[in-house]
Amino acid sequence: QVQLVESGGGSVQAGGSLRLSCAASGRTSSTYAMGWFRQAPGKEREFVAAISWRDGNTYYTDSVKGRFTISRDNAKNTVFLLMNSLKPEDTAVYYCAAGYPRYTTDYGIMRKYDYWGQGTQVTVSS
């Protein structure tokens, strides 16, 4: 079992930056990856970014490439999402997830993640 706690959300102007953090506890050694998903009002939850816990490879949805960076701190069992050049369309609740996406094509698939945080709100105003 893994417990995830997100932090770092808030309200910013368009073009600003935020860094989200996700602290994991429990049986974290059994997870192969951690990622971020987001859900905007009236929309389904969508993939944002993920990182392999084994080799550090990263994966991003097209809309955030070049703006967001996912990273990890193995010693602290923490994953980060640095969000630069934020746009109003980035407004959403951001959820941290951990799971077992063993193949490259699995990293962006929500059902491959078994553990979820409670979410942190990110609001970007124009």
Side-chain angles (χ1 to χ4, degrees), residues 32-38 46-62 64-65 68-72 79-82 94-110 112-113 116:
Y32 295 144
M34 294 181 68
W36 292 92
F37 292 74
R38 66 187 181 187
E46 65 174 346
F47 171 72
V48 177
I51 185 167
S52 168
W53 211 250
R54 294 292 190 273
D55 56 25
N57 287 346
T58 57
Y59 307 86
Y60 300 92
T61 191
D62 287 345
V64 308
K65 288 181 179 177
F68 291 10
T69 302
I70 188 169
S71 61
R72 62 180 181 176
V79 65
F80 306 95
L81 184 68
L82 175 61
Y94 283 70
Y95 297 90
C96 179
Y100 310 92
R102 290 181 56 84
Y103 305 101
T104 299
T105 53
D106 290 344
Y107 281 86
I109 302 176
M110 187 169 61
K112 296 297 183 179
Y113 296 83
W116 295 84

Side-chain angles (χ1 to χ4, degrees), residues 13-30:
Q13 296 276 3
S17 299
L18 284 173
R19 190 182 75 159
L20 307 183
S21 299
C22 177
S25 61
R27 299 184 65 182
T28 57
S29 62
S30 65

